[in-house]
Amino acid sequence: MDLNNKVVVVTGGASGLGLVTCQELAKQGAKIVVFDLNEDAGKSLVANLGDKAIFAKVNVTDETSVAAGIKQAVDAFDTIHVCINCAGIAPGGKTFGRNGALALDKFSQVININLIGTFNVLRLAAEQMAKNEPDAKGERGVIINTASVAAFDGQVGQAAYSASKGGIVSMTLPIARDLAPLGIRIMTIAPGIFDTAMMKGFSDEVRDPLIKMVQ
């Protein structure tokens, strides 16, 4: 897809992988809608990106919040062509350790943000994309999800994170089959380790085995 003047929604766009993605999209002439909860960082980013970028304060786990963000994107740029899901968290915690069993609410929080949040955004983005006129190749939109190498090779303390990212991987094919008749493509990437704030937030117990993986 030629990204010049295409409207791209990026979740988690105010930091880490999402931020760099927005910066690269801007270089290719895309119109960018940054979804994030960090209002200060989001507004600072779009100020640097220029007139073809807006910020929407969105909680990916909340249906009303995401719907409002989609509406803000459409009000500003008329439609959505691409949805890139980068929003996520990665708190480490052993299934059982010196602090006892992993708290169920911590496990649920990771699943809710990383997996359910990704699906929540992409389903509403797809609803909007389906209204687009197909291009010469019959394409109406593209969805890109972010999983992780942890979906396939999770390390100590990554049970919740690996489960969430494995879910993203597993749902990609059936969603592709759902959306293909509409001319909407979906794919999932599985990055390795990035030097981001998320990575710095890991304890040594979680971070050290990850670093050893790539040495």
Side-chain angles (χ1 to χ4, degrees):
M1 177 183 285
D2 179 3
L3 289 172
N4 188 48
N5 284 322
K6 292 295 191 300
V7 182
V8 184
V9 168
V10 182
T11 73
S15 64
L17 176 63
L19 184 149
V20 175
T21 299
C22 290
Q23 291 171 334
E24 290 300 314
L25 289 167
K27 292 176 184 178
Q28 298 188 49
K31 298 175 180 177
I32 304 161
V33 185
V34 179
F35 279 14
D36 208 290
L37 282 174
N38 190 328
E39 193 166 1
D40 290 340
K43 288 183 176 180
S44 175
L45 173 62
V46 299
N48 289 325
L49 294 179
D51 295 339
K52 293 169 73 172
I54 64 168
F55 171 76
K57 187 174 182 179
V58 170
N59 176 354
V60 297
T61 68
D62 182 83
E63 182 173 7
T64 301
S65 179
V66 174
I70 296 290
K71 183 178 185 302
Q72 191 172 338
V74 174
D75 287 347
F77 298 126
D78 295 327
T79 190
I80 295 170
H81 299 103
V82 182
C83 173
I84 304 177
N85 290 297
C86 297
I89 60 171
K94 284 187 175 181
T95 305
F96 177 80
R98 57 177 169 269
N99 296 319
L102 180 66
L104 188 59
D105 61 346
K106 289 187 177 180
F107 188 94
S108 298
Q109 181 189 33
V110 178
I111 298 297
N112 200 32
I113 293 173
N114 294 3
L115 176 57
I116 298 176
T118 293
F119 184 75
N120 189 28
V121 175
L122 76 82
R123 71 189 180 93
L124 296 178
E127 181 180 36
Q128 182 60 46
M129 290 175 186
K131 301 174 184 178
N132 294 339
E133 287 296 321
D135 64 16
K137 296 181 179 180
E139 187 168 74
R140 287 187 169 92
V142 178
I143 298 166
I144 302 173
N145 293 332
T146 305
S148 167
V149 65
F152 311 99
D153 193 10
Q155 301 299 305
V156 171
Q158 285 195 310
Y161 185 69
S162 294
S164 70
K165 295 302 186 178
I168 291 173
V169 171
S170 295
M171 72 180 178
T172 302
L173 181 57
I175 293 173
R177 288 170 170 156
D178 287 345
L179 300 181
L182 299 171
I184 299 172
R185 292 187 289 120
I186 182 170
M187 64 201 74
T188 291
I189 61 172
I193 297 171
F194 288 95
D195 186 19
T196 63
M198 180 186 291
M199 182 67 176
K200 290 182 174 67
F202 288 161
S203 66
D204 292 342
E205 183 180 45
V206 175
R207 185 172 59 249
D208 290 349
L210 296 175
I211 294 172
K212 289 179 182 177
M213 286 176 61
V214 297
Q215 289 178 337

